[in-house]
């Protein structure tokens, strides 16, 4: 075996490990997207898992960093890695290695990833989410962007259509996810609920982070469920614009309605109720969606 062949084999082995690492990370940390990705063509799954693992890693920077400045440094490393300016061997990080392969192989632009990182700076601090349109923008730059990138992977970098559909799908799924995560975010001192909605119900940040909650919080979360459903309806109206090959990227949206419905059952407490779905039902919804039922 020549030196070149040895180097190639070593590189392929490292990349295989990177993809396996990303898949395991997604399976453990983002089961909705993990199961949805299983309905995508096998050839696309490694790169889809790379995208999701990157998103998950960026979303976890706050809990991994000891303070906001440390979090800013971590996010800057990822910006530098994407732009080829990071020091050291970037590909020693398995998520970075898998992501770089996805970007090159699927002809993806790097700016959407940088924009996603920039949006996640909000997570590091305890500033309020001022208005509903700020929340929609946050979900668009994080969740909608991930859907759009997944669609591009599935179409091998060719325009997949459905840009508006991705926008609405991401807000619907993103708002629903933030409502589900409210108990954990509140304990961590994070409040993603828009200040304008909270104010209209007489709810303060302290009511949320101290666990007081109250009737006003029920009203505020009901308004946000209505917001998610408006975007879900708009997504459904735009679904025909999505290229058939890109549709697996949108599958997690099939879980929005059952999650929202679970929040409307008697006894729901936004700060204490864990909104989950049995695995069999989650898989059934995704399977049905993959066949065009939703």
């Amino acid at each position: 075996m020549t030196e070149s062949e040895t180097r190639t084999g070593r590189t392929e082995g490292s990349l295989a490990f990177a993809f396996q690492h990303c898949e395991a990370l997604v399976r453990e940390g983002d089961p909705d997207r993990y199961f949805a990705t299983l309905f995508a063509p096998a050839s696309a799954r490694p790169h889809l898992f790379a995208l999701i693992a990157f998103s998950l890693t960026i979303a976890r920077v706050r809990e991994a960093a000891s303070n906001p400045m440390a979090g800013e440094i971590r996010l800057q490393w990822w910006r530098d890695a994407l732009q080829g300016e990071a020091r050291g061997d970037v590909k020693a990080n398995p998520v970075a290695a898998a992501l770089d392969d996805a970007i090159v192989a699927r002809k993806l632009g790097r700016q959407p990833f940088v924009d996603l990182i920039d949006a996640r700076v909000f997570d590091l601090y305890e500033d309020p989410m001022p208005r509903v349109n700020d929340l929609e923008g946050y979900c668009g730059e994080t969740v909608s962007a991930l859907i759009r990138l997944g669609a591009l992977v599935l179409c091998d970098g060719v325009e997949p259509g459905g840009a508006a559909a991705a926008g609405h799908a991401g807000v619907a799924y993103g708002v629903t996810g933030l409502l589900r995560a409210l108990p954990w975010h509140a304990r961590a001192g994070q409040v993603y609920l828009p200040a304008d909605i909270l104010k209209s119900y007489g709810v303060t940040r302290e009511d949320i982070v101290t666990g007081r909650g109250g009737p006003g919080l029920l009203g505020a979360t009901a308004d946000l469920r209505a917001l998610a459903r408006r975007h879900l309806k708009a997504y459904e109206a735009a679904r025909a614009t999505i290229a058939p090959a890109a549709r697996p990227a949108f599958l997690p949206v099939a879980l929005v309605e059952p999650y929202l419905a679970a929040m409307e059952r008697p006894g729901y407490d936004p700060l204490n109720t864990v909104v989950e779905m049995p695995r069999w039902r989650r898989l059934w919804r995704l399977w049905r969606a993959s066949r065009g039922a939703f």
Side-chain angles (χ1 to χ4, degrees):
M1 181 178 289
T2 67
E3 181 181 346
S4 175
E5 289 173 331
T6 300
R7 192 183 310 114
T8 298
R10 189 183 303 118
T11 300
E12 290 175 351
S14 299
L15 197 54
F17 168 77
F19 287 135
Q20 291 167 5
H21 175 84
C22 288
E23 181 175 351
L25 192 65
V26 176
R27 183 172 59 244
E28 175 66 26
D30 195 342
D32 282 0
R33 289 191 179 96
Y34 172 77
F35 290 129
T37 302
L38 298 182
F39 291 92
S43 60
R45 288 176 206 158
H47 288 154
L48 291 173
F49 283 133
L51 299 188
I52 302 165
F54 163 76
S55 175
L56 186 59
T57 299
I58 299 303
R60 288 176 166 176
V61 164
R62 173 174 170 135
E63 61 188 76
S66 57
N67 56 65
M69 184 54 67
E72 292 266 18
I73 292 170
R74 285 173 181 259
L75 292 181
Q76 187 58 49
W77 184 90
W78 279 101
R79 289 190 194 93
D80 292 344
L82 285 163
Q83 296 166 341
E85 299 173 0
R87 295 181 179 179
D89 183 8
V90 169
K91 292 186 179 180
N93 180 308
V95 176
L99 181 66
D100 185 71
D101 190 79
I103 289 171
V104 173
R106 303 290 176 167
K107 301 177 282 292
L108 306 178
R110 293 178 184 266
Q111 191 59 45
F113 295 96
V114 175
D115 292 342
L116 189 152
I117 292 169
D118 291 344
R120 287 290 185 183
V121 172
F122 178 87
D123 300 354
L124 304 179
Y125 299 92
E126 296 177 359
D127 298 331
M129 183 72 73
R131 296 170 298 276
V132 169
N133 63 333
D134 295 306
L135 176 61
E136 291 171 315
Y138 173 86
C139 290
E141 291 168 351
T142 54
V143 188
S144 300
L146 189 60
I147 292 172
R148 176 77 172 160
L149 289 163
L152 283 163
V153 164
L154 289 161
C155 291
D156 224 6
V158 176
E159 172 56 46
H168 291 298
V171 177
Y173 189 78
V175 170
T176 302
L178 290 172
L179 288 171
R180 291 179 62 215
L182 184 54
W184 293 275
H185 287 156
R187 287 194 287 272
Q190 291 177 286
V191 178
Y192 289 89
L193 279 58
D196 56 355
I197 287 183
L198 294 179
K199 184 177 179 180
S200 70
Y201 285 95
V203 180
T204 66
R205 178 183 182 278
E206 288 66 32
D207 291 332
I208 295 173
V209 299
T210 61
R212 286 198 296 267
L217 186 56
L218 286 171
T221 52
D223 278 8
L224 288 170
R225 290 196 299 273
L227 174 69
R229 284 196 171 101
R230 286 196 296 273
H231 282 281
L232 184 60
K233 185 176 180 180
Y235 155 68
E236 290 167 349
R239 193 162 48 187
T241 64
I242 304 167
R247 288 174 186 163
F250 293 79
L251 286 181
V253 188
L255 304 176
V256 167
E257 182 53 45
Y259 281 140
L260 295 176
M263 298 176 202
E264 291 164 350
R265 293 174 188 151
Y268 169 69
D269 179 347
L271 292 176
N272 293 291
T273 301
V274 177
V275 177
E276 275 297 350
M277 196 184 307
R279 177 175 171 174
W280 69 265
R281 189 179 177 209
R282 195 177 337 195
L283 288 168
W284 178 79
R285 293 279 306 189
L286 291 169
W287 175 77
R288 293 263 304 189
S290 73
R291 299 176 68 84
F294 299 118

